[in-house]
Amino acid sequence: MSSRLQNILVPIIAVLLGVLVGTIIMIISGFDAVAGFVALWDGAFGESYFTGETVRQITPYILAGLAVAFAFRTGLFNIGVEGQLIVGWLAAVWVGVAFDLPKIIHLPLAVLAAAAAGAFWAFIPGFLKAKYRVHEVIVTIMLNYTALHITNYIIRTVLSEKSDRTESIAETASLRSPFFESLTDYSRMHWGIVIALICVFIMWFILERTTRGFELKAVGFNQHASDYAGMNVKRNIILSMVISGAFAGLAGAMEGLGTFGYASIKGGFTGVGFDGIAVALLGANSPIGIVLAAILFGSLKVGALNMPLQAGVPNELVDIIIALIVFFVASSYLIRLIIKRFSKKGVK
Amino acid sequence: MGIMEILMIIIPTTLLWAAPLIFTALGGTFSERSGVVNIGLEGLMVIGAFTAIVFNLTFVDTFGAFTPWVSLVAAMVVGILFSLIHAVASITLRADQTVSGVAINLLAVGVALFLVKRIYDKGQTDIIQRGFSKVDIPILSDIPVIGPIFFSNTYYTSFVAILFAVIAWYVIYKTKFGLRLRAVGEHPMAADTMGINVTKMRYYGVLISGALGGIGGGVYAQAISSDFGHATISGQGFMALAAMIFGKWHPLGAMGAALFFGFAQSLSIIGSSLPFLENIPNVYLLIAPYVLTIIALTGFIGRADAPKASGVPYIKGSR
């Protein structure tokens, strides 16, 4: 079997295995599995309102997935997407609240502020990796919590008078779309999906059509060879993290400017950043794969909210399924072994 | 407020908050020493906290005053079982250890909340009746000066944690098992050549981290939060990971770092009642453990190096 076909088969089998185990869990727990999945489907696509909400959820997932994947392609593991997202969210809302500008300047400014904030937050681990050879995984994890506490502090003391949330952003900085809202029965679907899709194209373009992208990928394949070929490995590491962080910051802008329109004190993480790891992994770090994976996880996540109402199944079942899919993709060695076994039988 | 009163507030609180971190950080040390990165400590704590609370609520009538301790054993066992997933994925199936750890974290929260809703039909458990409670440790608390500061108004679990750290140090540095564990984490091929079963040692490492992570979660749940919900464990596992690194992958170092982080956490909670801290925003104390860990890694406070083979699956015969 060609390796190309195998690469496509692995994620598909992983998803099927994840759903299978999820079904088994439902049955063992005494729930009606069929009703559960019907509720899941209805919750994601049953009404136009739900579809709009699903698209809204897919939007940050695409961007978070791009962020993780872009770093992955340079051989870096950015677990800090969550922190970069939170920082981007705050930056976008800050610009949205603080300025009074015409929409054509205000909105792009707020979006760019988010990207810049995320990029800065990812620059730190990139720089430390390049300069001091500190492992980026640990630094990004630590920066996640640092971001959480600092943004909470800023929201509480700078952007509000000891309140739990900022005021809402100016209409001129909002991504809200009356057009999409009327189309989807007043869901919170917003223009962000367009930005996300543009970013998918940007990632593809950088990696596949520019010299810089070639260098980034080369560093991901083999740092020593790239160094020997005259590429500046350190600069590429930092650049990769910065671009990755910019995508993550944009994911935060989607929440800040589109879905919510404000920033609030968080007791814990949004989870979007960690789900982005799942999206990137399932999408095999390719732009198209990420879109497909984001659609799958976004639908699961939004559809899950309908499961307790319609079928009495706790929506956490979907979190379990997503985690299992990550396991199965990560353990692709197992799946590849199984495929090998089967395809050998076919030859006989 | 005199210095004595201040110490009598700060030190018991520090010990209280440090105990779960010490257990979990020791778990991380065992795992990483054997060469398996364990980002899943957070998830192991979640599972431990969940198990301890459910067990405590269910069996409080059977075990009476011993309930929290028995629940801790239950948390340990379930922690071991849960870490088995990480072990199978990252050792046998050669999965990326970081990814597998992330999956452990996602799975733990999903499973625990799913079961809470299944069992109790609500998002959060009831509050346990018998958690770990404050005690004056007999004899020791009667010692002048030291007694009231260290041994009064405190919890047994904190001292068990410190004892565990000493045991862990002994096991890792003074026994044959520990030597093999470290060898497998530094240079698995050399260890394999010497006849050490790399796979088995790594399984031990990960399963011990599951046991200690489970205990850490159980201690946190029964001494601090008293119930289980989606926000019970929020970052303690990652803070334990930080303590392990800050302690340079050494059990006693990890314990020291955990005590220090516990100190920072307790200051962020009780700081407003202390005269010299009331004007410092507690955000500095909240981020201190994380920022210090980053600084430690960059080498400003002595270089911290991970075990060499940490994060790399061992494939027999590959170079």
Side-chain angles (χ1 to χ4, degrees), chain B residues 75-295:
Chain B
M76 181 184 83
V77 172
V78 178
I80 292 174
L81 291 177
F82 208 71
S83 66
L84 194 60
I85 304 174
H86 183 50
V88 171
S90 59
I91 303 170
T92 307
L93 299 179
R94 301 172 194 174
D96 184 310
Q97 297 171 2
T98 310
V99 173
S100 168
V102 170
I104 284 278
N105 292 336
L106 294 174
L107 189 63
V109 176
V111 168
L113 289 177
F114 180 82
L115 289 176
V116 164
K117 285 189 181 165
R118 179 75 187 86
I119 300 169
Y120 301 101
D121 227 355
K122 53 185 176 181
Q124 204 161 5
T125 67
D126 293 325
I127 292 186
I128 51 170
Q129 298 307 317
R130 271 187 193 276
F132 291 110
S133 47
K134 285 185 179 173
V135 287
D136 292 339
I137 292 173
I139 307 170
L140 291 174
S141 61
D142 297 332
I143 304 170
V145 187
I146 296 176
I149 295 178
F150 288 98
F151 300 112
S152 299
N153 237 344
T154 184
Y155 295 83
Y156 278 118
T157 44
S158 307
F159 297 97
V160 175
I162 292 169
L163 180 71
F164 265 52
V166 176
I167 296 174
W169 165 78
Y170 184 82
V171 169
I172 291 179
Y173 283 98
K174 301 289 170 192
T175 65
K176 208 156 61 176
F177 174 82
L179 181 65
R180 290 179 176 169
L181 192 80
R182 283 181 291 140
V184 163
E186 291 291 334
H187 202 316
M189 208 203 297
D192 195 12
T193 321
M194 298 307 289
I196 299 171
N197 187 336
V198 176
T199 307
K200 196 171 84 182
M201 289 314 293
R202 289 193 163 177
Y203 265 87
Y204 280 134
V206 175
L207 295 188
I208 293 173
S209 82
L212 291 169
I215 293 178
V219 168
Y220 185 88
Q222 295 185 94
I224 297 173
S225 73
S226 296
D227 64 355
F228 182 83
H230 72 280
T232 301
I233 301 292
S234 54
Q236 284 80 13
F238 287 112
M239 198 181 273
L241 188 78
M244 176 196 74
I245 296 161
F246 199 59
K248 299 182 182 173
W249 287 269
H250 189 292
L252 298 180
M255 179 191 78
L259 283 170
F260 178 69
F261 291 171
F263 175 67
Q265 270 191 305
S266 63
L267 280 189
S268 70
I269 293 156
I270 60 174
S272 54
S273 62
L274 299 175
F276 55 94
L277 277 177
E278 50 196 0
N279 294 324
I280 299 177
N282 73 356
V283 63
Y284 293 113
L285 296 163
L286 287 171
I287 65 172
Y290 310 114
V291 175
L292 282 171
T293 302
I294 294 173
I295 295 172

Side-chain angles (χ1 to χ4, degrees), chain B residues 19-32:
Chain B
L21 297 180
I22 296 176
F23 282 116
T24 312
L26 290 174
T29 310
F30 274 99
S31 176
E32 299 236 345

